[in-house]
Amino acid sequence: MLKKSLLLSSLVLSSSLYLNATTISNDECAKKGDNFIFAGNECIEYKKFKGEDEKSLNIIVHGTWKDGTDTLARYAPFAEDISMRTDITTIAVALPGYSKSSTNNFTSLSHEGVENLAAKKEYVEFLGELVKALKKKYEAGKITYIGHSAGCMMGATLTGLKPMLIDNLVCAGGVYDIKKEKPNLKDAISIVDVLDKVDKQTKFVLIYGTADDISKPQTTIDFYNLAKAKGLDVKLVEAKDAPHIDLDMTPESIDAITELLVEE
């Protein structure tokens, strides 16, 4: 518990170092080093951990954190762990407004005055451009997307918006029908809006925590039943007593990720 408290404190304190992210051009991004990539008109910082299997790529996408938070401080160790367990090159990305990523087009997911950015089509399309750019850069034939919370919701939507871009989706603590959760969001998009376009070969692992009071267990169970009825390849994983935070890093989640990738 102390370790987690110290980590969260570190993330909050470090956020002040990154609040001044500004417009960054493609050329400027290229000069920042190999751990930056220009995609969708954003310069995105990421951490990569090389695995023996370089034909596949795991991409870890975080959810909503305080504006400017250094999310890579939390997700880089997780990416390294997944890479070591699966022998697959694994990348943790920092979305716009986090760590040293730019804010050319988009703010952070929790920027003041901005609501439900992860449910906007243009943001999900940007995320698709980022996944595509990483796939091209590392010449990966297969993409496994691991998302938590808002990162999970966007990844799920992406499987229908850009079919066949993602081969495996591991989704922890997500929302799958944003309009059901927030009926006033008429222009919002989530996977239920594009479910019929999802490629049937895409594999889904849906993870819920029994103590999650943000993405309640029934949210994931209901979508699992819907996806199953649609003929999708979907697996449901329960993380007993797990709350929303760190749900993607629970032993149940890590085991599910490892089993999915070892099977292949």
Side-chain angles (χ1 to χ4, degrees), residues 8 16 23 27 38 40 51 64 71 93 107 118 132 142 145 166 175 180 183 186 193 217 236-238 249 252 263:
L8 291 174
S16 62
T23 300
D27 289 342
F38 197 80
T64 302
T71 54
V93 302
T107 65
K132 187 164 65 173
K142 182 172 288 187
Y145 179 111
I166 294 171
V175 172
K180 181 179 178 182
K186 304 301 181 184
D193 299 303
L236 186 65
V237 175
E238 177 188 274
M249 301 180 187
E252 293 90 343
E263 285 174 2

Side-chain angles (χ1 to χ4, degrees), residues 189-201:
I189 187 171
S190 52
I191 188 173
V192 295
D193 299 303
V194 289
L195 191 58
D196 290 335
K197 296 180 181 179
V198 176
D199 185 82
K200 292 293 195 295
Q201 294 184 24

Side-chain angles (χ1 to χ4, degrees), residues 93-154:
V93 302
L95 295 173
Y98 296 103
S99 295
K100 296 179 183 177
S101 293
S102 66
T103 52
N104 293 351
N105 289 354
F106 300 105
T107 65
S108 71
L109 295 172
S110 64
H111 190 72
E112 184 177 356
V114 175
E115 294 184 10
N116 304 296
L117 190 55
K120 294 186 182 296
K121 185 177 180 181
E122 57 266 33
Y123 194 98
V124 180
E125 288 176 335
F126 149 71
L127 183 59
E129 289 300 310
L130 174 58
V131 172
K132 187 164 65 173
L134 289 168
K135 182 177 183 178
K136 180 179 179 181
K137 181 174 182 177
Y138 293 104
E139 300 178 341
K142 182 172 288 187
I143 297 293
T144 296
Y145 179 111
I146 303 166
H148 175 250
S149 195
C152 161
M153 181 174 76
M154 292 187 292

